[in-house]
Every structure is written in C-alpha cells, then in structure tokens.
Amino acid sequence: AQKVTQAQTEISVVEKEDVTLDCVYETRDTTYYLFWYKQPPSGELVFLIRRNSFDEQNEISGRYSWNFQKSTSSFNFTITASQVVDSAVYFCALSEMSGNSGYALNFGKGTSLLVTP
Amino acid sequence: GAVVSQHPSRVICKSGTSVKIECRSLDFQATTMFWYRQFPKQSLMLMATSNEGSKATYEQGVEKDKFLINHASLTLSTLTVTSAHPEDSSFYICSARKAGQGYNQPQHFGDGTRLSIL
C-alpha cells in the first residue's frame, strides 16, 4: 500500500505564480518524520526539509513554506513567486520507527513542477 | 559535510555484462546505506538496506542473487548488477545515514548512476 500519496503528477505554472504541492501520508506510528526532496533534471536528490510528528508549526524558508496538518495527515509544500529554476520533481517521504530495518524512506510518486517564463 | 559519492554516474553496456556501482561516504561513517531504483518518471523504490559487516536486507521482489550488495567498510557499499538485461536499465541511487543517527535524520544521497543495458 502506498504510504505517501502525491496526487498531483504534473503541475505547470508561469513564473512568479505561487504553487502548492500536496502530500498525504499514512502511518500507525505516533512518532515519525516527514521529508521533502527536490530532484532536478540532473537526477540528484536535494534535501529540503525534515519535520517530526510532534511539531506542527508551519515553517518558512525563503520562498518555500510547509504546512503540516496532523489532523488530515498532510504535509504540503508551497513555493511562493516561483522561478524557472524551481522546475524539478519534488518528492515527499516518510520515515517511521516501526518501518523496515534501518528506517529507509518511503517516497511518494513525486510531483513534476514546470515553471515557464 | 555529509557528502556521498556514487560512481560511475553513467554506464552503458551490453546485455549479460555485470556492472558494479560504488557508494562512498566521504566525510562520515555510515553503518547503514540504502539502495534505491528509479524507473523513468517513477518514484524511488527501496531495493535493499546495506549494513556494514553483515548481509544486506532485500525488499520483496528484489533478487538477491542478481543484485549483489557488499558493505565491507563504514564508508563503502557496492551494488553489483549481475548479468544485466535491458529491463535492469534504470537510475540507481544510494543513500547513507551517519553512524549513530536514527530514522529522524535525513539520509544523504549520492548523485545516482544511470544504467543503460543495450
């Protein structure tokens, strides 16, 4: 069963628009961690944020912000005033204490964001 | 800090060839490394968890005899795709977790290896 759902497969916006990438997760653990990674066309994974299940405060980092809602099991990511360089595939991931040994990440299927000039 | 080097970055070879991919943690020790596979426009799927000094743990559906993993030191894990076939063509990416750190810490990813089997 998919533990992390990113319902938006592809999003296309024009530069300077705001865009929100959705992430819904599923876990039975009370303690878990959520991550967002960016994968540009070159393929490497760039770590963006980590959030633990006990911290529901929203976080802002420059043009990026994250909204964690435990009640709806969502961890959405918003890019404000998008830029062409934001074009990439974005992955949401879950790490659970009760998961497989070594606590590998469960990734969503990713959302491909295209920002056009 | 926390740099993971993966080599080679790209491999093109004939069907039946065995290919070795290296994953090194350059500035930290990693007791656990993970190997993921990503098909085009797909998500990253965990193949196996590599533990230093012990046998790797493979995910369901991953053939351990085909994807040989060796984690002989705290800074190096290797994945060997034996007798590779076109269906093995994929993007393979490793990650490492610093020794002593748990599931709450971000994994550090290599830049990936794009494997193409002709």
Side-chain angles (χ1 to χ4, degrees), chain B residues 1 3 10 14 26 35 38 43 55 60-62 77 81 86-87 93 98 104-105:
Chain B
V3 177
R10 187 173 182 90
K14 293 181 179 179
L26 297 185
W35 287 96
Q38 184 182 27
S43 185
K55 289 184 179 180
Q60 193 172 10
V62 177
S77 175
V81 184
E87 59 266 28
I93 190 165
K98 290 183 181 179
N104 57 321
Q105 296 300 314

Side-chain angles (χ1 to χ4, degrees), chain A residues 31 33 35 37 39 43-45 47 50 91 95 97 100 102-105 107-108, chain B residues 34 36 38 42-44 46 49 57 59 91 93 97 103-107 109 111:
Chain A
T31 304
Y33 282 78
F35 301 82
Y37 285 87
Q39 187 178 42
E44 75 274 16
L45 282 174
F47 167 75
R50 175 190 72 224
F91 290 98
S95 181
M97 179 179 276
N100 48 8
Y103 312 124
L105 295 176
F107 284 89
Chain B
F34 303 93
Y36 296 85
Q38 184 182 27
Q42 300 289 318
S43 185
L44 287 85
L46 178 69
T49 302
T57 303
E59 293 301 295
F91 187 64
I93 190 165
R97 177 176 285 125
Y103 71 108
N104 57 321
Q105 296 300 314
Q107 294 174 20
F109 285 85
D111 286 346

